[in-house]
Amino acid sequence: MTIHRLILIFELMKFSTEELIEGIQSGNKRLIAKAITLVESKKAEHRQQAEELLKKIMPFTGKSVRVGITGVPGAGKSTFIENFGRLVISQGKKVAVLAIDPSSAINKGSILGDKTRMEELSKEENAFIRPSPSSGFLGGVANTTFETMMICEAAGYDYILIETVGVGQSEVLVADITDVFLFLKIIGGGDELQGIKRGIMEMVDVIFINKVEESNFQKAKNTRLELKRALDFIPPKEKDWKVPVLLGSALHNQGLQEVFEKIDDFISLKKKNNRFEAVRTQQAEKRFEYWVQEYILSMMKRDNSVEEAYIQHKKNASAMVSNPSTEAKLFVEKFLRDSSFEFPGSENV
Amino acid sequence: MTIHRLILIFELMKFSTEELIEGIQSGNKRLIAKAITLVESKKAEHRQQAEELLKKIMPFTGKSVRVGITGVPGAGKSTFIENFGRLVISQGKKVAVLAIDPSSAINKGSILGDKTRMEELSKEENAFIRPSPSSGFLGGVANTTFETMMICEAAGYDYILIETVGVGQSEVLVADITDVFLFLKIIGGGDELQGIKRGIMEMVDVIFINKVEESNFQKAKNTRLELKRALDFIPPKEKDWKVPVLLGSALHNQGLQEVFEKIDDFISLKKKNNRFEAVRTQQAEKRFEYWVQEYILSMMKRDNSVEEAYIQHKKNASAMVSNPSTEAKLFVEKFLRDSSFEFPGSENV
């Protein structure tokens, strides 16, 4: 265990659940950050405190507008979030910025990166910016952005902006925890649909074509036309909603007010269709299923002999020593036989 | 329990594992079919016999060329398989035809459907046609096409043609168990890429444009051009392989020989690249992971009290009584506490 890691764990341990909750509710950004670090951890002792904390803040969650934001690198996501976030604050709202990164690793330097990227926004009293979770830092890779969002909601943030890094399944993960999905597009070189990640067009609720200037205005309009044509072939995600394709420039604060209004319209429509809460209910069910898997997996990995058995049986399966289903059955038998020990921390919950 | 179901179970029980294996190895189609029904079942007593059977036929599997075939309804998949299958037989090979259907239900009538569809092929001594698995019939929905394929291989079939029904994730399931993936395309009305299911173009190894006649030959060439252009933007799945786009008519036996040769070329290249066995190893690992999940799920569902707990905790999560991760933890604890009973049939394996 490195010194750095020891310090981090020590730091976490310093605060009781009550102190963290008090910090969250009084808007203490340092304690909000600590609480988030806690829920990101997969260590058994942290998970127990994390569950306790989440349970207690539960009644204070759910009030925000949850916005997912995606776009290829270079689409201007950081600049967009910086200026859009400030616009939201100017309407008297509090904004939290999170990032989802299913593939992030230790020491990627994203903390420094995010902080400097959104310099102006981070100075705002009513903004909270959480860098990409450094998964693996405390020994886990579970995706905890949903739980981080709960903490931000309990701290009174009205808009939660969740940025994807565009890697792997990150858009699906974001779509699974947000109310509205925003796609930032830049003007392309002709074939506008080329380069759009598969599935994005089916997920999106609002499209913003960024970096539009006088010089490329005609091209921007062509891009819009092509996107609209593609959208015509995609069944609508929400009844009576036609995905708007907006033009603007995040850098020059152009078109951001329109994005804000369209998000508002979309949320209103969802509520009118009785779909707002219904979708959130479905999302919570998915989160439950996700965590059931996570916990079973963590049980498997926690016990060395179980993990060794997993590796061995998988190896047998891949070497076709016997068929994969037989090896799976042998493994699951062993796992269930050996897992009658106590769940970590269960006695105190 | 219906009479029909009782009869089916009785039919299964009549044969010992040894009789079934003998039947498979002597090419007795009736016993091959019985063995497949056995591995499709998820009943505990059947699964035990199924694992035993699969274990014993293991050394006789793996020798076939595994071909996945997809295409929209109306692309002519049945006619293609009928005439392509006969062509393969004319080269001195034995052909088995399977279908993957992750969504199939009881009494869909697909048995009769498949049989009449491939009338000529089904008369061939060296052909075996297995209709879509009637998942759920014996109480399960597990995808067992891989295990069915093992039985066909042990019975000496050289080519296994696996047709997708194009529903849900069926193409992914097929790609995960085959060596080569064939896409049947019909000539469209201009925008050729529209209507192709997302992800298909990335999966495909050989494309066959079907139903090409003199009257639409120019259109067919345009379709080919558009497909080739789209393929240029997709990173190659296999080093040094350029996905061929072939023209032909399955009904008139045109172009099928070329498909046969391209499949052969592709397999040879994969072997040269040391990727043939490597991909199969990866596939077996995936099957192992799939079955670990299946068995854990079946354990959860087997015990009424566990299933009730699952439903209750999920309901709590969706009603936001407490956060989803807490509910998941409570459920997994209960599951592991209660699952120290014996695995069904484990004592005899």
Side-chain angles (χ1 to χ4, degrees):
Chain A
M1 192 174 280
T2 63
I3 294 277
H4 194 152
R5 198 160 157 178
L6 260 176
I7 291 171
L8 220 138
I9 290 173
F10 177 70
E11 281 276 295
L12 266 184
M13 286 307 178
K14 277 200 313 200
F15 297 97
S16 71
T17 309
E18 285 65 35
E19 283 172 308
L20 288 174
I21 292 175
E22 220 183 278
I24 291 169
Q25 295 195 313
S26 65
N28 180 326
K29 290 187 191 176
R30 193 169 142 256
L31 287 175
I32 295 170
K34 290 259 173 284
I36 293 173
T37 304
L38 179 73
V39 300
E40 283 174 359
S41 170
K42 267 178 98 178
K43 282 218 172 288
E45 63 268 34
H46 294 159
R47 282 245 56 84
Q48 191 199 333
Q49 201 188 349
E51 297 299 352
E52 211 182 301
L53 176 93
L54 290 169
K55 202 170 174 177
K56 287 187 176 153
I57 62 169
M58 196 72 200
F60 312 105
T61 65
K63 305 279 192 297
S64 80
V65 175
R66 302 166 177 174
V67 185
I69 300 171
T70 194
V72 294
K77 290 198 293 291
S78 302
T79 307
F80 177 86
I81 291 171
E82 167 115 328
N83 285 339
F84 183 73
R86 289 166 78 199
L87 180 139
V88 175
I89 288 170
S90 77
Q91 317 262 339
K93 307 285 185 187
K94 289 178 74 178
V95 174
V97 179
L98 313 177
I100 209 160
D101 185 353
S103 68
S104 64
I106 301 169
N107 293 332
K108 267 185 61 182
S110 59
I111 294 182
L112 192 66
D114 282 357
K115 279 272 157 73
T116 50
R117 279 194 312 164
M118 298 173 193
E119 210 177 335
E120 291 304 316
L121 186 61
S122 62
K123 283 181 202 154
E124 296 275 354
E125 169 74 28
N126 286 328
F128 175 79
I129 301 177
R130 177 68 181 186
S132 310
S134 50
S135 301
F137 198 79
L138 289 173
V141 287
N143 179 273
T144 50
T145 310
F146 181 81
E147 286 71 23
T148 298
M149 184 166 68
M150 286 174 66
I151 292 172
C152 294
E153 289 183 341
Y157 289 93
D158 306 290
Y159 277 73
I160 318 280
L161 311 181
I162 306 180
E163 181 191 1
T164 79
V165 294
V167 174
Q169 292 289 299
S170 56
E171 289 89 2
V172 179
L173 289 171
V174 169
D176 277 351
I177 59 174
T178 53
D179 303 315
V180 51
F181 201 61
L182 179 63
F183 175 41
L184 258 57
K185 177 83 178 82
I186 32 171
I187 300 153
D191 188 352
E192 292 303 337
L193 301 180
Q194 201 64 56
I196 296 183
K197 216 170 147 187
R198 306 240 160 213
I200 296 292
M201 292 294 277
E202 281 89 344
M203 277 179 203
V204 81
D205 303 306
V206 177
I207 298 179
F208 181 69
I209 302 179
N210 195 15
K211 302 188 181 180
V212 178
E213 321 245 331
E214 212 176 311
S215 61
N216 61 13
F217 188 61
Q218 194 51 49
K219 269 191 174 176
K221 286 205 292 186
N222 291 342
T223 298
R224 175 165 60 185
L225 196 69
E226 274 207 49
L227 289 174
K228 284 197 170 198
R229 214 177 274 152
L231 286 165
D232 280 341
F233 289 97
I234 296 168
K237 217 175 95 185
E238 189 64 40
K239 197 174 155 280
D240 299 328
W241 183 253
K242 226 176 135 59
V243 174
V245 183
L246 308 172
L247 306 184
S249 162
L251 186 65
H252 299 111
N253 280 300
Q254 283 163 355
L256 301 183
Q257 178 67 32
E258 241 183 309
V259 174
F260 184 78
E261 283 161 15
K262 286 295 177 190
I263 288 174
D264 208 41
D265 291 349
F266 184 70
I267 301 288
S268 300
L269 179 71
K270 256 179 134 175
K271 286 182 176 165
K272 188 179 146 252
N273 289 349
N274 289 322
R275 290 255 308 155
F276 186 78
E277 282 306 323
V279 171
R280 283 196 173 180
T281 298
Q282 285 165 16
Q283 290 176 338
E285 284 179 359
K286 271 200 187 172
R287 287 304 292 169
F288 172 75
E289 286 166 5
Y290 172 84
W291 278 104
V292 167
Q293 281 183 23
E294 272 303 311
Y295 276 120
I296 288 178
L297 278 175
S298 76
M299 293 303 289
M300 288 183 184
K301 281 173 186 160
R302 185 170 164 265
D303 187 318
N304 276 344
S305 75
V306 173
E307 194 176 6
E308 275 165 29
Y310 185 82
I311 293 168
Q312 187 56 50
H313 286 295
K314 192 172 179 175
K315 206 183 273 176
N316 290 348
S318 66
M320 294 302 241
V321 169
S322 70
N323 57 302
S325 61
T326 302
E327 293 297 332
K329 188 180 178 205
L330 292 171
F331 164 72
V332 173
E333 283 174 343
K334 181 176 166 50
F335 166 60
L336 291 179
R337 218 166 29 235
D338 292 359
S339 61
S340 48
F341 52 79
E342 208 53 22
F343 203 87
S346 59
E347 58 286 350
N348 310 30
V349 172
Chain B
M1 190 174 281
T2 63
I3 294 277
H4 193 151
R5 198 161 157 178
L6 261 175
I7 291 171
L8 220 138
I9 291 172
F10 177 71
E11 282 276 295
L12 266 184
M13 286 309 180
K14 278 197 315 197
F15 298 97
S16 71
T17 309
E18 285 64 36
E19 283 172 307
L20 288 173
I21 292 174
E22 222 182 275
I24 291 168
Q25 295 194 314
S26 67
N28 180 325
K29 289 186 193 177
R30 193 169 142 255
L31 287 176
I32 294 171
K34 290 259 173 288
I36 293 173
T37 304
L38 179 73
V39 301
E40 282 174 359
S41 170
K42 268 177 99 177
K43 283 217 172 285
E45 63 268 32
H46 294 159
R47 282 246 54 85
Q48 191 198 334
Q49 201 189 349
E51 298 299 352
E52 211 183 301
L53 176 93
L54 291 168
K55 201 170 175 177
K56 287 188 176 153
I57 62 169
M58 196 72 201
F60 312 105
T61 65
K63 305 280 193 296
S64 80
V65 174
R66 303 165 178 176
V67 185
I69 300 171
T70 194
V72 293
K77 291 198 293 290
S78 302
T79 309
F80 177 87
I81 291 171
E82 166 114 327
N83 285 339
F84 183 73
R86 291 166 76 200
L87 179 139
V88 175
I89 288 169
S90 77
Q91 317 263 338
K93 307 286 184 188
K94 290 178 75 180
V95 173
V97 178
L98 313 177
I100 209 160
D101 185 353
S103 69
S104 64
I106 300 171
N107 293 332
K108 265 184 62 178
S110 59
I111 294 182
L112 192 65
D114 283 358
K115 280 270 156 76
T116 50
R117 279 194 312 163
M118 298 174 194
E119 210 177 335
E120 291 304 317
L121 186 60
S122 63
K123 283 181 201 154
E124 295 275 353
E125 170 73 27
N126 287 327
F128 176 78
I129 300 176
R130 176 69 181 185
S132 311
S134 50
S135 301
F137 199 79
L138 288 173
V141 289
N143 179 274
T144 50
T145 310
F146 181 82
E147 286 70 23
T148 299
M149 184 168 67
M150 286 175 66
I151 291 172
C152 294
E153 289 183 341
Y157 290 92
D158 306 291
Y159 277 73
I160 319 279
L161 311 182
I162 306 180
E163 179 191 1
T164 79
V165 293
V167 175
Q169 292 289 296
S170 57
E171 290 88 1
V172 178
L173 289 171
V174 169
D176 277 352
I177 60 175
T178 53
D179 303 318
V180 52
F181 200 61
L182 179 62
F183 175 40
L184 258 57
K185 177 84 178 82
I186 32 171
I187 300 154
D191 189 353
E192 291 302 338
L193 301 180
Q194 201 63 54
I196 296 182
K197 213 170 147 189
R198 307 240 158 214
I200 296 291
M201 293 294 277
E202 282 89 343
M203 277 179 202
V204 80
D205 303 307
V206 177
I207 297 178
F208 181 69
I209 301 179
N210 196 14
K211 304 189 180 180
V212 177
E213 320 247 332
E214 212 176 313
S215 61
N216 61 13
F217 188 61
Q218 193 52 47
K219 269 192 175 176
K221 286 205 292 185
N222 292 343
T223 299
R224 175 165 61 184
L225 197 69
E226 274 206 51
L227 289 174
K228 284 198 170 196
R229 217 178 270 153
L231 287 165
D232 280 342
F233 288 96
I234 296 168
K237 215 174 97 185
E238 189 62 41
K239 196 174 156 280
D240 299 328
W241 183 254
K242 226 176 136 57
V243 174
V245 183
L246 308 173
L247 305 185
S249 161
L251 185 66
H252 299 111
N253 280 300
Q254 281 163 355
L256 301 183
Q257 179 67 33
E258 242 183 308
V259 174
F260 185 78
E261 283 161 16
K262 287 295 177 188
I263 289 174
D264 208 41
D265 291 349
F266 183 70
I267 301 289
S268 300
L269 179 70
K270 254 179 137 176
K271 285 182 176 164
K272 190 181 145 250
N273 289 348
N274 289 320
R275 290 254 308 156
F276 187 78
E277 282 305 324
V279 171
R280 284 197 171 180
T281 298
Q282 286 164 16
Q283 290 176 337
E285 285 179 359
K286 272 199 186 172
R287 288 304 293 170
F288 172 75
E289 287 166 5
Y290 171 84
W291 278 104
V292 166
Q293 282 184 22
E294 271 303 311
Y295 275 121
I296 288 178
L297 277 175
S298 76
M299 292 304 288
M300 288 184 183
K301 282 171 186 160
R302 186 170 163 267
D303 186 318
N304 276 343
S305 75
V306 173
E307 195 177 5
E308 276 165 28
Y310 185 83
I311 292 168
Q312 187 54 50
H313 286 295
K314 193 172 178 174
K315 205 182 274 177
N316 290 349
S318 66
M320 293 302 241
V321 169
S322 69
N323 56 302
S325 61
T326 301
E327 292 297 331
K329 189 181 177 204
L330 291 172
F331 165 71
V332 173
E333 282 174 344
K334 181 176 166 50
F335 167 60
L336 291 179
R337 219 167 26 234
D338 291 0
S339 63
S340 48
F341 53 79
E342 208 55 19
F343 203 86
S346 59
E347 59 286 350
N348 309 32
V349 173

